[in-house]
């Protein structure tokens, strides 16, 4: 017998008023909350869209996809936008990698390359009022040398053997040998306040000389900065305040930009830019910083990657064009060499040294005699971009006769394998440091390091080529280019790191934002930025 | 987790207990549910026959709309056929939940039976359940995956772990109530051994809410798999599942809605079907 | 009831101790540690070793465990290794955010669930019951991460009515905060509301079918009084337990919702901490969550026992 029989059944009590009250109460509560928020006071949407119609003033919200990590202040990490907002560096590279003055007004590199004299600005103060002197530069260099700082340019910092102060604003750096990438160090090294270092590493107080002062950091939410009224560039910055807001999920970041909550971001991947490309109130700019390049790494101590023909077969098998189109959304450069177009080591011949040629790959595979019956493990970080690249590589390798098995790892586990050199035979990842001086790649970036790298590759020829490129004074000119060519030749021949594509840095900005720029290490500069 | 109220009505003998289930399955509600679930399961089982492309075959044409070039539902961002990814995705999902949920249910019931033996064991088992339930499921999922490495195994482990306390608590509550019923008291007084009483008489009377719970847990399992894929842990690429297809598709929602439509529809139909089934079963076993 | 409470406390404490060991153990089982995460992508092993020494991660496991528990008992949650700052501050920030979100979702769950349950059980019209049924099943069938994305697409991007994500702070700007809170709380609450609604409906129907209701109706007691004085109180106990369990669900589901809506709560903190292998953050946080859960369980069991004397004497 059913409980809900004809209406006369007692199971259907007539409670119109109670029910109505219930409904009304519920609906009313919700409506009250909503309207109270929406109409009574301010609307969160219009507040967030940014005020400031004039050239001066205004507040900018930058969407970041990784939170600020104070412990990583001195390492090149995924999140470096705030470095040039709170701090300054000694020089600034222009489009052609020529150093321009920042905190260092001028410099004199000795002819033998064993010392450099820096003349520093004398009108700079830290946010707390203290004057900037040569001691701060000395501290910065010594700080970067410490292994705990894990600074990628530590080897360059270690080449500095002594300091000689000539007054408060002139400094001589003595070098163990000529160092070609010295200015990479100066572009990378932020000048922090030596008295508040511990507070800085904890995210409590960051004291610098930059255009914006550090107000506070709310973990998970972001960093708030406000204008430094005593900045050493007169009448700058234009903006009153900047907020770096965390949107860790790519959808959230995209929505924040589209709804106007954020007006600038460098964290949107190329694939997801389609909805913004057509939008009239957005500008998409590509930076050829080459701050990231996708590659396939090979562990030369593990079969079958110990065979050079096998490695070269892999290099011929991958369709680099497809990696750029499908994984990077078209925002990249297919390249067999790690150098972006702006690098002095870049040549077109090297870029297309390996192209998509499954036939050649198969021939090389056959000649290598490597068995294709077993699946080769292919490790990769489990983030969507790396997974997509790994899937493309897997498919292309299969067409050439190499069967692989994907082994995803979360980023910390992957990092551990990378550092300890316990990667499987093949892996996919992104590397940086090809965008500045070519020598920096092989003396800093771990996968390419000539002394010790993840692949476990060592050869006299490679070491000699790298040392020759690093330990000399001139960074440009035909002699230097010849040295870089030697390094490139080694990399391409040995194929222990097989570059696929150089990723563009993509800037998504609201149309009314002008003047935001990025340096070679992805430090955001808003010195001359304003909201129209 | 979700659970139903365990209040089985008075004495029912073994053979008569089947009738409410059969009766439930003949209602319209259950019929629709069966059709939906059946269709989805069939699609998964027949995946190799129904799809003309391999699910991992990448063509050069990414995100083509449905109907172009022999791709009935279009392609994904790496040029893979969406229809075959959908069908094989159903297959993978079914494999995972068909394994994890019953194992979780069995283990949960085993623990509940264990708890019924002695009050101390009861406390231990209850606190163990509390411990498992206390950990936010997805954090547990991240930790388990980090230990075991991504793949099917951590997904199965996480779903199983999630279901054990749910079924355990259900059964335990049911046992507690049944134990005080007249027939149970009478049987004890009459000299029936505890174990026999438990297994032959009490257990069948507790079965109804568990059956309903099974249907509900299957839907939870589908969501758990999807959530794990969304967070980047889960079944290994390039194998498709409904969850990772959905999470891959979400950034393209505005430019290529057909990418997400397939898995979304299937998940909804599957969950709808299972819900209708559990509803129907619930209604019949209440009377 | 005091005796009931007293009986439950020792076992709750045992749970906490075991939980601390489990949490500590699981984190050490996960490969990689804070030193690798902190060292950055291009570090040398020397850097990693130096950082490891600095953090004290090279000590014996038992020593690390004892240090951790010892500090905890003194009220010191320790510094965060990788995320930055003090763990107490991080958890404090996240706690406020998550409590806000969970409370908002809980309120919406109860309100919507109550409405759905009562309507579904008591409405005379088939169409109303049908709509309620459809809504309930719909809210249950669509995965929360999809509803979240859809809500954002429609309400934040499509019609820019509500913000797409983030948080301001309840005490800084309460009027704005409610707007930031609405979408994530709704997204989190919908599945739970549907579950509560359905079980309340079943429970109510069950209660209505009992003999005493029929007798009371025959005796002329009003329907309204029946619902509020008799049916609901009898229907509520299992639903209260359910709401207790849903709280755990809500906390767990918060991880997803916090990701979609960029809500800086404990879920985000746990995920970030785990990714960075920040042991102090994850350990302290998980232990805190277990403690809260155990307390909530205790509370709901006590309330349940108060409402239903049968359970008390077990």
């Amino acid at each position: 017998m059913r409980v809900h029989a004809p209406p006369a059944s007692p199971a259907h009590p007539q409670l119109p008023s109670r029910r109505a009250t219930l409904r009304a109460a519920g609906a009313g509560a919700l409506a009250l909350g909503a309207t109270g928020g929406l109409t009574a006071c301010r609307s969160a949407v219009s507040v967030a869209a940014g005020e400031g119609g004039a050239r001066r003033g205004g507040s900018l919200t930058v969407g970041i996809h990784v939170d600020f990590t104070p412990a990583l202040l001195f390492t090149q990490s995924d999140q470096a936008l705030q470095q040039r907002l709170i701090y300054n560096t000694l020089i600034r590279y222009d489009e052609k990698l020529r150093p321009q003055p920042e905190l260092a007004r001028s410099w004199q590199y000795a002819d033998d390359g064993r010392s450099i004299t820096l003349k520093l600005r004398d009108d700079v103060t830290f946010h707390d009022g203290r004057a900037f002197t040569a001691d701060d530069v000395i501290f910065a260099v010594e700080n970067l040398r410490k292994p705990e700082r894990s600074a990628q340019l530590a080897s360059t910092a270690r080449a500095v053997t002594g300091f000689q102060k000539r007054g408060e604003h002139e400094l001589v750096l003595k070098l163990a040998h000529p160092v070609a990438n010295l200015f990479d160090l100066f572009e990378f090294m932020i000048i922090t306040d030596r008295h508040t270092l511990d507070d800085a590493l904890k995210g409590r107080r960051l004291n610098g000389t930059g255009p914006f002062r550090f107000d506070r950091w709310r973990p998970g939410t972001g960093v708030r900065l406000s204008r430094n009224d005593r900045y050493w560039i007169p009448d700058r910055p234009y903006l009153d305040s900047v907020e770096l807001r965390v949107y860790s999920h790519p959808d959230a970041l995209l929505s924040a930009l589209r709804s106007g909550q954020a007006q600038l971001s460098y964290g949107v991947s190329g694939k997801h830019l389609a909805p913004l490309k057509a939008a009239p109130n957005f500008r998409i700019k590509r930076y050829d910083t080459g701050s990231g390049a996708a590659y396939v790494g090979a562990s030369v101590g593990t079969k079958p990657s110990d065979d050079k023909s096998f490695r070269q077969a892999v290099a011929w098998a991958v369709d680099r064009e497809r990696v750029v189109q499908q994984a990077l959304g078209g925002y990249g450069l297919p390249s067999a060499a790690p150098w972006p177009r702006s690098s002095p080591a870049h040549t077109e011949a090297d870029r297309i040294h390996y192209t998509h040629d499954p036939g050649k790959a198969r021939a090389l595979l056959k000649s290598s005699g490597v068995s294709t019956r077993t699946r080769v493990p292919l490790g990769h970080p489990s983030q969507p971009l790396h997974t997509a690249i790994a899937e493309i590589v897997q498919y292309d390798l299969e067409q050439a006769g190499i069967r692989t098995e994907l082994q995803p790892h979360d980023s910390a586990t992957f990092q551990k394998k990378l550092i300890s050199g316990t990667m499987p035979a093949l892996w996919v990842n992104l590397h940086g440091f090809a965008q500045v001086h070519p020598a920096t790649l092989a003396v800093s970036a771990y996968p390419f390091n000539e002394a010790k790298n993840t692949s476990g590759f060592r050869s006299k020829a490679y070491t000699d080529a790298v040392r020759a490129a690093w330990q000399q004074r001139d960074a440009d000119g035909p002699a230097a280019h010849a040295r870089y060519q030697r390094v490139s030749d080694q990399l391409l021949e040995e194929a222990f790191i097989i570059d696929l594509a150089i990723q563009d840095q993509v800037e998504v900005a609201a149309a009314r934002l002008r003047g935001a720029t990025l340096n070679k290490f992805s430090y955001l500069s808003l010195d001359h930025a304003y909201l129209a | 987790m979700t659970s139903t109220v365990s209040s089985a009505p008075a004495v029912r003998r073994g053979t008569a207990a089947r009738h409410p289930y059969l009766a439930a399955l003949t209602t319209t509600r259950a019929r629709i549910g069966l059709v939906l679930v059946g269709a989805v399961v069939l699609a998964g089982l027949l995946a190799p026959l129904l799809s003309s492309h391999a699910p991992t075959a990448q063509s050069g044409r990414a995100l083509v709309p449905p109907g172009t070039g022999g791709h009935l539902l279009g392609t994904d961002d790496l040029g893979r056929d969406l229809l075959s990814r959908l069908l094989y995705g159903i297959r993978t999902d079914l494999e995972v939940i068909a394994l994890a949920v019953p194992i979780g249910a069995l283990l949960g019931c085993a623990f509940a039976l264990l708890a019924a033996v002695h009050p101390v064991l009861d406390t231990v088992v209850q606190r163990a359940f509390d411990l498992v339930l206390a950990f936010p499921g997805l954090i547990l999922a991240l930790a388990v995956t980090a230990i075991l490495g991504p793949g099917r195994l951590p997904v199965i482990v996480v779903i199983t772990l999630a279901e054990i306390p749910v079924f355990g608590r259900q059964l335990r509550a049911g046992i507690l109530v049944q134990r005080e019923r007249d027939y149970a008291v009478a049987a004890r007084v009459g000299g029936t051994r505890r174990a026999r009483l438990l297994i032959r008489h009490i257990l069948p009377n507790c079965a109804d809410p568990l059956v309903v719970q099974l249907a509900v847990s299957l839907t939870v399992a589908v969501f758990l798999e999807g959530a794990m894929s969304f967070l980047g842990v889960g079944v290994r690429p390039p194998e498709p599942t409904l969850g990772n297809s959905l999470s891959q598709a979400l950034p393209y929602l505005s430019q290529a809605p057909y990418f997400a439509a397939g898995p979304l529809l299937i998940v909804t139909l599957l969950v709808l079907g299972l819900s209708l089934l559990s509803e129907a079963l619930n209604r019949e076993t209440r009377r | 009831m005091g005796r009931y409470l007293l009986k439950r406390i020792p076992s709750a404490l045992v749970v906490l101790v075991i939980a601390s060991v489990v949490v500590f153990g699981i984190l050490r089982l996960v490969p990689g540690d804070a030193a690798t995460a902190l060292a950055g992508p291009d570090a040398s092993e020397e850097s990693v070793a130096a950082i490891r020494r600095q953090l004290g991660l090279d000590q014996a496991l038992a020593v690390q465990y004892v240090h951790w528990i010892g500090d905890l008992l003194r009220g010191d949650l320790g510094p965060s290794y990788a995320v930055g700052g003090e763990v107490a501050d991080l958890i404090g920030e996240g706690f406020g955010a998550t409590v806000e979100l969970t409370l908002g979702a809980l309120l919406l769950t109860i309100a919507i669930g109550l409405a759905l349950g009562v309507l579904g059980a008591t409405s005379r019209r088939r169409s109303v019951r049908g709509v309620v049924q459809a809504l309930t099943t719909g809210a249950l069938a669509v995965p929360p991460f999809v509803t979240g994305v859809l809500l954002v697409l429609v309400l934040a991007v499509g019609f820019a009515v509500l913000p797409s994500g983030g948080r301001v702070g309840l005490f800084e700007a309460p009027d704005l905060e409610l707007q930031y809170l609405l979408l994530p709380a709704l997204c989190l609450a919908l599945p739970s509301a549907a579950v509560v609604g359905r079980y309340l409906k079943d429970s109510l129907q069950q209660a209505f079918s009992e003999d005493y209701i029929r007798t009371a109706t025959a005796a002329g007691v009003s329907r309204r009084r029946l619902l509020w004085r008799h049916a609901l109180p009898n229907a509520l106990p299992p639903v209260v337990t359910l709401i207790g369990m849903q709280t755990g669900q809500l906390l767990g589901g918060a991880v997803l919702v916090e990701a979609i809506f960029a809500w800086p709560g404990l879920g985000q903190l746990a995920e970030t901490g785990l990714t960075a292998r920040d042991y102090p953050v994850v350990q302290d946080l998980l232990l805190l969550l277990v403690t809260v859960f155990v307390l909530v369980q205790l509370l709901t069991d006590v309330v349940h026992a108060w409402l239903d004397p049968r359970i008390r004497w077990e």
Side-chain angles (χ1 to χ4, degrees):
Chain A
M1 186 176 62
R2 291 202 145 265
V3 175
H4 299 299
S9 157
H12 286 291
Q14 274 272 47
L15 306 162
S17 56
R18 266 304 162 142
R19 221 176 338 131
T21 321
L22 190 79
R23 259 183 295 189
L30 278 175
L32 201 68
T35 35
L38 285 174
T39 61
C41 303
R42 302 158 277 178
S43 160
V45 177
S46 63
V47 168
E51 296 124 20
R55 199 174 141 103
R56 189 168 284 282
S59 165
L60 178 70
T61 304
V62 184
I64 52 179
H65 68 284
V66 178
D67 195 6
F68 169 56
T69 310
L72 294 177
L73 198 57
F74 299 103
T75 314
Q76 171 74 340
S77 68
D78 280 339
Q79 176 31 34
L81 291 181
Q82 72 282 337
Q83 307 288 67
R84 183 55 181 72
L85 298 176
I86 305 173
Y87 302 104
N88 283 115
T89 51
L90 287 174
I91 58 109
R92 175 180 37 95
Y93 275 145
D94 68 3
E95 293 308 306
K96 297 220 190 311
L97 287 184
R98 285 183 305 226
Q100 306 297 316
E102 284 272 304
L103 288 183
R105 269 194 352 244
S106 62
W107 44 89
Q108 186 84 8
Y109 211 160
D111 286 330
D112 65 352
R114 284 176 184 273
S115 72
I116 182 166
T117 309
L118 300 170
K119 284 204 168 66
L120 308 169
R121 293 189 76 98
D122 57 3
D123 55 351
V124 180
T125 51
F126 282 90
H127 297 143
D128 65 353
R130 190 170 70 75
F132 159 70
T133 65
D135 287 325
D136 296 305
V137 179
I138 297 175
F139 172 77
V141 176
E142 288 180 336
N143 185 41
L144 274 191
R145 288 208 275 246
K146 296 192 190 150
E148 312 84 272
R149 300 291 170 250
S150 200
Q152 284 87 346
L153 281 151
S155 52
T156 310
R158 287 195 194 116
V160 178
T161 50
F163 306 94
Q164 189 194 1
K165 269 175 69 172
R166 293 186 195 152
E168 290 301 306
H169 297 105
E170 194 171 323
L171 183 65
V172 179
L173 297 171
K174 297 209 178 44
L175 306 163
H177 50 74
V179 175
N181 67 348
L182 194 59
F183 287 95
D184 286 356
L185 178 67
F186 296 157
E187 164 98 332
F188 175 78
M189 187 172 71
I190 49 173
I191 306 297
T192 56
D193 173 28
R194 61 186 187 274
H195 303 297
T196 54
L197 188 66
D198 278 332
D199 276 346
L201 287 171
K202 290 212 163 117
R204 275 203 289 254
R205 223 184 116 200
L206 274 73
N207 190 19
T209 59
F212 295 94
R213 324 165 69 97
F214 174 81
D215 280 347
R216 77 178 283 203
W217 169 54
R218 288 183 90 173
T221 308
V223 180
R224 217 191 327 230
L225 310 168
S226 57
R227 187 177 191 274
N228 176 13
D229 296 321
R230 279 179 303 191
Y231 191 45
W232 49 270
I233 300 180
D235 292 330
R236 298 286 184 276
Y238 292 122
L239 295 166
D240 285 331
S241 65
V242 177
E243 196 179 340
L244 299 175
R245 254 199 168 187
V246 182
Y247 298 96
S248 43
H249 210 265
D251 296 313
L253 181 56
L254 204 59
S255 306
L257 286 165
R258 291 172 76 187
S259 63
Q261 259 195 299
Q263 298 90 43
L264 179 65
S265 181
Y266 296 90
V268 185
S269 87
K271 285 206 289 183
H272 303 149
L273 277 177
L276 293 173
K277 272 194 236 189
N281 48 340
F282 278 103
R283 245 185 19 251
I284 299 179
K285 190 163 145 194
R286 310 159 70 129
Y287 282 85
D288 175 27
T289 54
S291 62
Y295 70 94
V296 177
S299 295
V300 303
T302 316
K303 284 190 186 310
S305 295
D306 53 347
D307 190 311
K308 190 160 71 170
S309 306
F310 172 78
R311 300 198 298 267
Q312 289 182 347
V314 172
W316 286 108
V318 183
D319 185 353
R320 290 169 174 77
E321 191 58 58
R322 197 158 72 90
V323 171
V324 171
Q325 289 309 316
Q326 290 178 352
L328 300 178
Y331 288 93
L333 178 73
S335 173
W339 322 116
R341 286 199 204 274
S342 55
S343 170
H346 175 89
T347 64
E348 185 66 13
D350 285 343
R351 187 180 80 79
I352 52 175
H353 184 96
Y354 291 114
T355 51
H356 180 52
D357 196 335
K360 226 173 204 159
R362 266 180 250 124
L364 271 169
L365 192 64
K366 214 160 156 195
S367 76
S368 75
V370 166
S371 145
T372 54
R373 263 180 297 124
T374 47
R375 284 188 177 271
V376 181
L378 179 62
H380 64 93
S382 53
Q383 282 109 295
L385 176 63
H386 304 79
T387 308
I389 298 175
E391 288 176 322
I392 295 176
V393 169
Q394 179 184 50
Y395 184 72
D396 288 343
L397 286 181
E398 195 161 329
Q399 307 313 303
I402 303 171
R403 288 167 52 216
T404 54
E405 185 195 22
L406 292 186
Q407 288 183 349
H409 297 288
D410 75 295
S411 55
T413 314
F414 192 80
Q415 190 111 304
K416 176 167 177 257
K417 287 175 131 45
L418 202 67
I419 294 177
S420 58
T422 49
M423 278 293 179
L426 292 175
W427 77 89
V428 167
N429 200 14
L430 297 172
H431 73 80
F433 291 95
Q435 72 272 27
V436 283
H437 194 275
T440 301
L441 185 67
V443 298
S444 308
Y446 198 61
F448 292 87
N449 199 302
E450 52 83 14
K452 187 161 188 241
N453 52 53
T454 313
S455 305
F457 176 81
R458 281 212 80 173
S459 91
K460 189 168 182 313
Y462 184 53
T463 303
D464 287 344
V466 169
R467 293 249 172 91
W470 185 45
Q471 289 171 6
Q472 38 92 3
R473 219 203 81 167
D474 297 311
D476 222 340
H481 285 225
R483 285 188 277 259
Y484 303 150
Q485 192 59 50
R486 271 176 64 195
V487 177
S488 296
D489 289 341
Q490 282 293 304
L491 285 173
L492 290 168
E493 171 65 22
E494 296 295 341
F496 62 94
I497 298 284
I498 301 158
D499 270 281
L500 301 176
I502 299 167
Q503 198 184 16
D504 288 337
Q505 183 85 278
V506 181
E507 172 189 290
V508 179
R512 57 199 189 99
L513 174 68
R514 313 280 156 78
T517 59
L518 220 55
N519 88 342
K520 285 294 177 188
F521 288 105
S522 300
Y523 300 169
L524 174 61
S525 171
L526 292 174
D527 281 6
H528 307 286
Y530 62 94
L531 289 163
Chain B
M1 299 293 161
T2 55
S3 68
T4 54
V5 177
S6 62
S7 49
V11 190
R12 234 192 280 147
R13 274 184 276 125
T15 46
R18 258 190 282 129
H19 288 183
Y21 290 175
L22 285 179
L25 289 175
T26 53
T27 59
T28 342
R29 199 177 283 264
R31 284 217 185 104
I32 302 178
L34 272 176
V35 164
L36 289 175
V37 176
V40 173
V41 172
L42 210 62
L45 288 175
L46 295 178
L49 295 173
L50 293 171
S51 51
S52 46
H53 304 259
T56 54
Q58 302 172 12
S59 71
R61 310 148 71 179
L63 290 177
V64 286
T68 36
H71 298 285
L72 218 65
L73 291 180
T75 58
D76 72 352
D77 55 341
L78 291 182
R80 296 178 291 210
D81 180 41
L82 282 179
L83 179 63
S84 63
R85 278 187 84 75
L86 187 64
L87 294 172
Y88 277 91
I90 299 173
R91 213 187 159 101
T92 313
D93 259 51
L94 289 177
E95 280 171 17
V96 167
I97 64 180
L99 199 59
V101 175
I103 292 182
L106 281 172
L107 284 175
C109 292
F111 279 117
L113 286 172
L114 194 66
V117 169
H118 194 275
V120 172
L121 278 173
D122 182 62
T123 314
V124 169
V125 167
Q126 272 216 285
R127 295 303 140 247
F129 286 167
D130 279 349
L131 196 58
V132 175
L133 284 171
F135 283 92
L138 291 175
I139 305 298
L140 196 63
L142 291 173
V144 169
T145 312
I147 298 175
L148 294 174
R152 286 185 190 210
L153 187 58
V155 183
I156 294 177
V157 167
V158 170
I159 295 178
T160 311
L161 271 179
E163 296 305 325
I164 290 178
V166 175
F167 282 93
R169 279 193 176 193
Q170 276 281 28
L171 186 55
R172 179 184 169 273
I175 292 178
L176 280 179
V177 171
Q178 288 299 317
R179 265 219 277 244
E180 306 308 319
R181 294 273 175 172
D182 298 336
Y183 75 91
V185 176
R188 264 209 305 280
V189 167
T192 319
R193 267 179 31 245
R194 235 207 265 145
R196 188 183 165 81
L197 173 68
L198 207 55
I199 297 179
R200 274 219 76 211
H201 300 280
I202 295 188
L203 209 52
N205 285 323
C206 301
D208 301 332
L210 292 178
V211 171
V212 178
Q213 182 61 48
L214 207 62
V216 175
S217 291
L218 285 170
T219 68
V220 172
V222 172
F223 283 169
L224 221 76
E225 190 279 314
M228 285 179 75
S229 300
F230 190 75
L231 290 179
V233 299
V235 175
R236 274 191 209 185
E239 228 187 313
T241 69
L242 294 175
N244 68 22
S245 300
L246 256 179
S247 71
Q248 267 166 20
L250 284 178
Y252 300 103
L253 206 54
S254 37
Q255 56 184 126
Y258 49 85
F259 194 167
L264 188 56
L265 192 65
I266 296 294
V267 169
T268 312
L269 289 179
L270 189 59
V271 173
L272 192 60
L274 288 170
S275 293
L276 288 173
L277 272 176
S278 74
E279 279 267 309
L281 284 169
N282 209 8
R283 278 167 173 265
E284 288 305 316
T285 58
R286 276 307 173 76
R287 298 192 282 112
Chain C
M1 198 167 51
R3 214 171 49 179
Y4 179 72
L5 197 62
L6 226 62
K7 275 201 302 176
R8 290 275 271 111
I9 288 184
S11 55
L13 283 174
V14 172
V15 171
L16 286 180
V17 171
I18 298 184
S20 73
V21 177
V22 167
V23 164
F24 185 85
I26 285 189
L27 278 179
R28 298 303 183 286
L29 276 176
V30 170
D33 61 9
T36 15
L38 271 180
D42 294 305
S44 59
E45 282 188 311
E46 176 202 19
S47 281
V48 176
I51 298 177
R52 192 170 284 145
R53 249 192 321 272
Q54 203 179 40
L55 296 175
L57 288 172
D58 53 343
Q59 297 169 317
L61 285 182
V63 174
Q64 290 183 43
Y65 177 77
V66 170
H67 276 166
W68 172 48
I69 296 294
D71 287 340
L72 262 187
L73 289 174
R74 262 177 297 141
D76 177 15
L77 289 168
S80 150
Y81 290 163
V83 177
E86 296 291 318
V87 178
D89 294 332
L90 291 174
I91 293 186
E93 285 270 353
F95 191 74
T98 296
V99 163
E100 218 181 284
L101 181 61
T102 315
L103 272 181
L106 198 61
L107 283 172
L108 282 175
T109 300
I110 296 177
I112 301 178
L114 208 66
L116 285 177
V118 170
L119 272 179
T122 60
S123 169
R124 247 193 339 160
R125 301 224 297 268
R126 244 202 138 93
S127 53
V128 173
R129 292 207 311 276
V131 165
V132 168
Q133 184 72 318
L135 281 175
T136 312
T137 318
L140 279 174
V142 182
F145 52 93
V146 177
T147 35
V149 173
L150 284 175
L151 281 173
V152 170
L153 265 183
V154 172
L155 288 174
V157 180
F159 313 97
V161 177
L162 288 168
S164 65
R167 182 177 181 247
V168 202
L170 190 57
F171 303 108
E172 294 166 13
D175 56 334
L176 293 179
E177 180 74 343
L178 281 179
Q179 294 172 56
Y180 279 96
L181 183 59
L182 187 59
L183 280 185
L186 188 62
C187 178
L188 190 57
L190 277 176
S192 295
V195 170
V196 169
R198 171 186 294 185
Y199 288 123
L200 182 58
K201 184 190 77 147
D202 288 344
S203 208
L204 269 178
Q205 284 171 348
Q206 180 78 10
F208 277 127
S209 68
E210 299 276 336
D211 292 337
Y212 73 90
I213 293 277
R214 236 172 286 175
T215 319
T217 318
V221 183
S222 87
R223 315 289 175 241
R224 189 183 321 173
R225 203 183 160 81
L226 272 176
L227 177 68
W228 291 95
R229 276 292 190 83
H230 299 278
L232 261 183
N234 277 300
L236 277 179
V239 181
V240 169
T241 318
L242 182 69
I243 292 182
M245 282 170 87
Q246 289 295 319
T247 316
Q249 274 295 88
L250 287 177
L251 276 175
V255 175
L256 263 185
V257 172
E258 287 177 8
I260 301 172
F261 290 94
W263 189 264
L266 294 179
Q268 282 282 72
L269 185 61
E271 204 195 328
T272 315
L274 191 59
T275 314
R277 307 287 192 264
D278 194 335
Y279 294 156
V281 169
V282 182
Q283 282 165 191
D284 292 343
L285 186 55
L286 285 183
L287 201 55
L288 174 71
L289 287 176
V290 172
T291 312
V292 168
F293 183 82
V294 167
L295 282 176
V296 170
Q297 281 303 103
L298 207 62
L299 212 67
T300 43
D301 279 355
V302 166
V303 172
H304 200 159
W306 175 52
L307 286 173
D308 185 351
R310 273 187 309 177
I311 305 297
R312 219 179 291 168
W313 316 113
E314 57 189 59

